[in-house]
Amino acid sequence: MSLLLQTPRAVCRRLLRPGAASPLQDRVVLVTGASSGIGAATARLVAAHGATTLLVARRAETIAALADELVAAGGRAAAYPCDLTDGDAVDALVARVLADHGSVDYLVNNAGRSIRRSLAASHDRFHDFERTMAINYFGPVRLTMGLLPAMREQRFGHVVNIVSWGVQLKAPRFAAYLASKSALDTWARVAARETWDDNVTFTNMRFGLVHTPMVETTVEHYRRWPSLTADQAAARVLRALEDRPVSFNVAAGRAGDVLNLVTPRLADFVMHRLDRSGS
Ligand SMILES: NC(=O)c1ccc[n+]([C@@H]2O[C@H](COP(=O)([O-])OP(=O)(O)OC[C@H]3O[C@@H](n4cnc5c(N)ncnc54)[C@H](OP(=O)(O)O)[C@@H]3O)[C@@H](O)[C@H]2O)c1
């Protein structure tokens, strides 16, 4: 990437200390949704960069096996099974993690679920709106709120939220999913303005399509779209952890931002037509 497009922090680090160790070295990094896809690939990468890697997901055996794999490769890792939609379980997770590690330096709010369903097919499915908010918004907010006091106390912390380019494009059939991701995106932007003095920062990663189990059922529909592998997405998460930019965006997402700002009615028309044409 051109140096001009990088944050001042990244430029200084790369120009002044090109061979230096990753800022993640010997830090504590908690990754949610570490049992699969982007989260598992991110966990492997941050462990390889010297971080103590804490793995969170519901599938206890899967994250335990990944922790064993990371330790066998010479890293430090531990598995913390948790259903992030269960508020009491999140509070217990926070208590355990703080007792074991004192604080978390980097948090990757990656666990999530997507639902692609039109409003017409959703009238008897209010639970779709509730369950996307539960895992994509309330879970990460509760976890972040639990870990934030220790970050502020130590005057360092960085939170990466895996959201979606859809928060910019506002794509039809994704109302439940994108409203919950937009809520997290906005929450982090507000939080960053309150934690500025404490050196606690936030990145919203507005990914486009990534080939993971989450998109298996719709992958045929989007086969002509540009996409990343989970490893490629993880490399971008690693870069966001190290450089702490405000956001990561893809070109189509930025175009969506501009179109929605400058000519929102035309944006509605274009998205409606694209949806009708099956694109
Ligand atoms: N794939 C894409 O095209 C794409 C694009 C933009 C953004 N994203 C976002 O990227 C993130 C990762 O998704 P992915 O594509 O890597 O999908 P994935 O392979 O299906 O991974 C989803 C992860 O979330 C965890 N999870 C789901 N519900 C949970 C719960 N209640 N409690 C704890 N963990 C839970 C799952 O673990 P367990 O089942 O073990 O709990 C799994 O590890 C998501 O937030 C997604 O919205 C994906």
Side-chain angles (χ1 to χ4, degrees):
M1 190 196 297
S2 156
L3 281 179
L4 286 176
L5 294 177
Q6 299 186 27
T7 60
R9 183 183 283 112
V11 173
C12 289
R13 194 164 56 76
R14 294 208 161 75
L15 281 183
L16 302 180
R17 299 186 296 125
S22 165
L24 303 188
Q25 180 83 44
D26 298 327
R27 294 287 201 164
V28 176
V29 181
L30 189 154
V31 181
T32 72
S35 59
S36 171
I38 299 168
T42 298
R44 288 191 173 94
L45 214 45
V46 300
H49 281 72
T52 298
T53 309
L54 313 185
L55 314 172
V56 174
R58 290 168 301 183
R59 279 171 283 174
E61 286 178 11
T62 308
I63 53 174
L66 179 54
D68 288 347
E69 174 196 318
L70 301 182
V71 170
R76 289 181 303 276
Y80 291 86
C82 181
D83 181 345
L84 294 167
T85 64
D86 176 341
D88 292 340
V90 175
D91 294 347
L93 169 70
V94 167
R96 257 190 82 200
V97 164
L98 293 180
D100 291 352
H101 302 279
S103 70
V104 166
D105 301 304
Y106 296 86
L107 167 63
V108 183
N109 284 318
N110 165 77
R113 85 176 285 159
S114 173
I115 294 179
R116 179 179 183 270
R117 184 166 289 123
S118 69
L119 295 183
S122 301
H123 289 290
D124 59 347
R125 296 184 62 90
F126 194 73
H127 58 281
D128 281 354
F129 301 96
E130 293 173 323
R131 58 191 183 163
T132 46
M133 286 302 278
I135 184 60
N136 296 334
Y137 181 61
F138 291 120
V141 168
R142 193 162 186 142
L143 179 60
T144 309
M145 288 297 287
L147 298 175
L148 201 51
M151 288 181 174
R152 297 181 91 165
E153 177 76 21
Q154 68 176 5
R155 302 188 72 75
F156 180 83
H158 186 59
V159 180
V160 171
N161 294 321
I162 310 300
V163 290
S164 165
W165 62 342
V167 306
Q168 298 158 295
L169 290 172
K170 299 171 183 27
R173 298 177 198 249
F174 285 99
Y177 177 61
L178 294 180
S180 64
K181 289 290 190 186
S182 297
L184 182 62
D185 189 293
T186 301
W187 186 86
R189 296 295 300 123
V190 175
R193 290 162 189 202
E194 296 192 26
T195 59
W196 178 278
D197 272 350
D198 297 324
N199 190 28
V200 176
T201 46
F202 296 78
T203 300
N204 286 326
M205 303 215 63
R206 300 164 184 151
F207 274 123
L209 191 66
V210 184
H211 281 286
T212 67
M214 180 175 285
V215 298
E216 255 165 21
T217 52
T218 48
V219 79
E220 189 52 28
H221 183 81
Y222 298 114
R223 69 184 181 286
R224 285 178 287 130
W225 291 26
S227 59
L228 297 177
T229 64
D231 287 340
Q232 289 170 328
R236 285 154 177 79
V237 178
L238 177 76
R239 178 62 73 91
L241 288 165
E242 292 185 331
D243 296 348
R244 302 163 70 194
V246 169
S247 62
F248 164 87
N249 303 280
V250 297
R254 285 192 190 281
D257 263 346
V258 172
L259 201 61
N260 279 306
L261 185 68
V262 176
T263 164
R265 194 69 80 188
L266 176 63
D268 289 352
F269 173 73
V270 169
M271 294 305 286
H272 176 76
R273 284 289 167 200
L274 284 173
D275 183 46
R276 280 294 159 98
S277 71
S279 298

